[in-house]
Amino acid sequence: MTSIKEQAAISRLLSFLQDWDNAGKVARSHILDNFIKTNQGKTSPELEQEFSQGASLFLVRLTTWLRLIYMTGSCLDKLLQSIGIFLSAVSSNQYLIEFLEVGGILTLLEILGLEKVKEEDKKEAIKLLQVIANYGRKYKELICESYGVRSIAEFLAKSKSEETQEEVQVLLDSLVHGNPKYQNQVYKGLIALLPCASPKAQQLSLQTLRTAQSIIGTTHPSIVECVLKVLRTMHLEVQYEAIELIKDLVNYDVCQALLKGLVELLIPSVKETRKLQPKILNDSLVPQLTAHLPVFLQQAAAAKAIGVLARSNTSIAEEMLHLRVVHSLLAAMGNSDHCNSQRQASLTLEYFVQMFPVVEEHVRRSMGEELYQLFLSNAEDLYMKIDSIQADILAANKVNVSKVLHQSGVPRSNTTFYLEAHDKGHLDYISNFQKEDMEGKE
């Protein structure tokens, strides 16, 4: 026989459940407020004690109401938070199973795609998916099998809240870890996000891609084209993440394609620049506002990325010499329509000149002594001192260091030896430059 105390507890539970069943939206909202306030952070045994071993009876009412009202969005945030208290409770496996059995994952994913649902409500749905994913591999696979990666990625691209987007990143990062069956699906979903219109989504996708790439170990063929297109952004935080990913990708089989692509971006096609320029700007009476043409932003970012890669790895710098990087950097320095392209190309070329005497010789000859001395004195500010004739000379340069290396019969693997042998004073030159640089800093 049950004790008087147990009977009283059961009576309270039945009364509570009856109040819920008879309540309207406003009354249920108040019930949820009280539930969240008094039960946040409780363990499964504590919840069972609170509900006289009948907590599942309240959970089933919450999930039933969720399926009825999720399309309208009424009280959705409180309802999802309440379900979250059950699912995140310690030793709550039974609650999770009950939620999944009624199609909980599909409901949460559907919420993400509904236009009428508020951003805050979708954020709560993402948090619940995080909780489910944290239960382990089996549950990550359930999310992916429910077309979860696509729904989550699309929501990340469309979301207007940076805070919510960061929660989505946490979920995607979780899905790529400990999920060998579907980690490639997550990886491809992240690549598909790169062309999206949201700078924050691009930034977060690039960050997560670096993690995914290290886990998967192989590259997808489309990643080179996608990451190079991201360099068209005017958002420096996105550009930074793209260059960080490029630094990682040069260690994979796409290295050659990536380096070739970066060098090609230094000389945009005439067709592309014309295509991007509004017709109104063709009027001679209207100033030529080309400062933020995406193709020129991409050109400047490519020059910067090449500099970063060359400074980090001499072998990469040598490989780019064979791709005619010097010719292309000089051409970018002649782009008087975009000063940042000139600046970034000049800074990167400065490194090649300092490192390789054969480059120094050809650049000096191409620039002419006057311009070359200006270049040596301050490469970063050179663009402010170049006149239109000098810019045209740079843009039309014929420098071909690759041809010199080829004619000398030097294979790519021996490029270092040739470049050093080309000038016996090579090491002295670099040592002297480094010494002067240190003295200048002092």
Side-chain angles (χ1 to χ4, degrees):
M1 293 180 64
T2 57
S3 66
I4 296 175
K5 187 175 181 181
E6 288 173 335
Q7 288 178 347
I10 292 170
S11 179
R12 283 197 302 273
L13 172 63
L14 294 175
S15 176
F16 172 79
L17 295 177
Q18 190 173 22
D19 288 343
W20 172 267
D21 293 340
N22 295 331
K25 290 182 181 178
V26 176
R28 285 186 175 185
S29 178
H30 291 312
I31 292 172
L32 292 176
D33 283 333
N34 291 331
F35 175 78
I36 293 168
K37 184 179 179 180
T38 57
N39 295 286
Q40 194 77 50
K42 284 189 175 180
T43 64
S44 176
E46 288 171 336
L47 287 171
E48 289 299 329
Q49 185 178 2
E50 177 73 20
F51 285 91
S52 305
Q53 309 306 312
S56 290
L57 295 174
F58 184 47
L59 176 59
V60 74
R61 282 165 169 78
L62 294 179
T63 55
T64 300
W65 198 39
L66 174 65
R67 291 173 64 79
L68 291 173
I69 61 96
Y70 75 91
M71 287 190 176
T72 64
S74 177
C75 293
L76 195 53
D77 58 336
K78 296 175 183 178
L79 184 53
L80 292 172
Q81 285 178 42
S82 299
I83 293 172
I85 288 174
F86 281 100
L87 300 190
S88 58
V90 177
S91 305
S92 59
N93 292 55
Q94 183 57 40
Y95 300 146
L96 176 64
I97 292 169
E98 290 170 8
F99 181 68
L100 298 182
E101 284 177 346
V102 296
I105 288 177
L106 288 172
T107 303
L108 294 176
L109 293 173
E110 197 168 344
I111 287 171
L112 300 181
L114 295 174
E115 293 184 6
K116 292 182 179 179
V117 176
K118 293 183 292 184
E119 190 86 11
E120 277 299 313
D121 298 340
K122 293 180 180 181
K123 179 182 171 183
E124 292 301 327
I126 288 292
K127 286 183 176 180
L128 270 184
L129 287 167
Q130 289 174 7
V131 171
I132 294 169
N134 288 339
Y135 271 86
R137 174 177 171 177
K138 174 183 175 182
Y139 300 98
K140 292 176 184 179
E141 290 178 355
L142 282 174
I143 293 172
C144 295
E145 286 166 2
S146 304
Y147 301 98
V149 174
R150 180 176 178 177
S151 300
I152 294 162
E154 287 179 354
F155 174 57
L156 175 58
K158 294 177 182 178
S159 175
K160 304 299 181 185
S161 164
E162 291 192 359
E163 188 178 336
T164 302
Q165 288 176 311
E166 287 170 359
E167 293 291 347
V168 178
Q169 183 198 26
V170 172
L171 176 57
L172 288 170
D173 186 73
S174 175
L175 291 176
V176 86
H177 283 90
N179 188 14
K181 188 175 180 180
Y182 291 104
Q183 62 188 19
N184 264 300
Q185 189 182 97
V186 182
Y187 174 62
K188 292 175 185 176
L190 291 166
I191 295 174
L193 275 169
L194 295 184
C196 77
S198 167
K200 187 65 176 179
Q202 287 180 312
Q203 180 189 11
L204 297 174
S205 299
L206 288 163
Q207 289 175 353
T208 314
L209 259 175
R210 294 184 65 199
T211 303
Q213 188 63 71
S214 65
I215 292 171
I216 293 168
T218 57
T219 57
H220 190 272
S222 67
I223 195 169
V224 172
E225 182 183 357
C226 289
V227 76
L228 291 181
K229 282 185 177 179
V230 173
L231 295 178
R232 295 189 172 206
T233 182
M234 61 169 51
H235 299 272
L236 293 179
E237 68 278 10
V238 179
Q239 183 192 104
Y240 170 80
E241 295 299 341
I243 292 175
E244 289 298 302
L245 178 58
I246 287 170
K247 285 165 62 179
D248 291 346
L249 289 175
V250 294
N251 298 311
Y252 294 88
D253 58 348
V254 294
C255 178
Q256 185 68 19
L258 197 56
L259 298 182
K260 184 180 178 183
L262 284 170
V263 173
E264 288 174 352
L265 293 179
L266 294 175
I267 307 180
S269 66
V270 175
K271 180 182 177 182
E272 195 164 21
T273 55
R274 283 178 180 171
K275 180 178 65 177
L276 291 167
Q277 192 167 353
K279 291 181 180 179
I280 190 173
L281 297 185
N282 293 329
D283 188 341
S284 60
L285 300 177
V286 180
Q288 299 298 296
L289 305 176
T290 57
H292 294 301
L293 280 180
V295 70
F296 291 155
L297 293 170
Q298 188 181 35
Q299 180 189 46
K304 182 178 179 179
I306 288 169
V308 170
L309 294 176
R311 290 181 180 90
S312 66
N313 191 322
T314 308
S315 296
I316 289 176
E318 293 162 0
E319 179 62 33
M320 285 192 282
L321 291 179
H322 287 276
L323 298 172
R324 296 198 67 191
V325 70
V326 177
H327 161 73
S328 300
L329 287 170
L330 284 166
M333 287 172 64
N335 180 11
S336 54
D337 286 327
H338 193 60
C339 62
N340 196 40
S341 288
Q342 293 178 297
R343 176 176 168 271
Q344 295 294 347
S346 186
L347 287 169
T348 298
L349 183 63
E350 180 184 39
Y351 171 78
F352 281 94
V353 167
Q354 292 165 1
M355 281 299 295
F356 307 117
V358 66
V359 174
E360 188 254 359
E361 175 188 324
H362 283 76
V363 170
R364 182 193 291 267
R365 190 185 309 152
S366 177
M367 285 186 175
E369 194 61 33
E370 180 184 351
L371 183 57
Y372 183 72
Q373 291 305 320
L374 288 173
F375 170 71
L376 286 184
S377 63
N378 193 338
E380 186 170 6
D381 295 337
L382 181 66
Y383 70 94
M384 294 188 286
K385 302 169 186 176
I386 295 176
D387 59 34
S388 59
I389 295 174
Q390 291 170 325
D392 289 343
I393 291 171
L394 290 171
N397 83 88
K398 303 297 182 184
V399 172
N400 194 343
V401 175
S402 175
K403 184 179 180 181
V404 174
L405 298 175
H406 179 72
Q407 288 176 342
S408 302
V410 183
R412 293 190 177 188
S413 59
N414 292 332
T415 304
T416 306
F417 174 79
Y418 171 76
L419 291 169
E420 291 180 356
H422 186 78
D423 184 346
K424 293 180 180 179
H426 174 62
L427 294 177
D428 293 336
Y429 176 87
I430 296 176
S431 300
N432 184 55
F433 175 82
Q434 290 174 336
K435 182 180 179 183
E436 289 177 356
D437 186 55
M438 291 300 293
E439 290 173 352
K441 289 180 180 178
E442 291 173 2

